[in-house]
Amino acid sequence: MRILDNDSDKKLDNITVFLNKEEAIQLCGYLTQLIDDPRLHHAHLSSADYQKEITVCLYEEKNLDSFSARSIKLIKYDE
């Protein structure tokens, strides 16, 4: 597991995410899509007002070509 704060470009080690039931259902659906479709590697869950967003990614270390250099550094070295 890797967590990146996109605003500060820093890795995080411990976060808490608060979702309402609708958001949790939506996130479950996105995760199912990521697992079922190998062509997908990320999904965005946005708040109703689009002011907050969670991006979830599915990765395999042997296939990181579709990720940014920053994402690859985080995945490989946890930094």
Side-chain angles (χ1 to χ4, degrees):
M1 176 186 301
R2 303 291 187 261
I3 306 168
L4 177 66
D5 178 343
N6 288 316
D7 291 336
S8 68
D9 193 36
K10 295 186 189 249
K11 79 169 193 114
L12 302 173
D13 292 322
N14 187 353
I15 65 168
T16 302
V17 177
F18 296 87
L19 303 175
N20 63 34
K21 186 173 182 176
E22 180 180 306
E23 292 164 337
I25 291 168
Q26 190 175 6
L27 181 58
C28 285
Y30 288 151
L31 292 171
T32 299
Q33 289 174 355
L34 289 172
I35 291 166
D36 291 345
D37 188 345
R39 297 170 297 161
L40 302 175
H41 72 276
H42 76 282
H44 302 273
L45 174 65
S46 299
S47 61
D49 62 3
Y50 295 98
Q51 298 302 304
K52 297 171 183 70
E53 181 175 86
I54 298 170
T55 302
V56 290
C57 302
L58 185 64
Y59 71 90
E60 293 183 46
E61 286 197 43
K62 64 183 179 187
N63 187 11
L64 300 175
D65 298 341
S66 60
F67 290 97
S68 69
R70 177 62 180 106
S71 297
I72 292 170
K73 179 180 177 184
L74 180 68
I75 291 167
K76 285 187 168 186
Y77 308 109
D78 195 23
E79 56 183 51

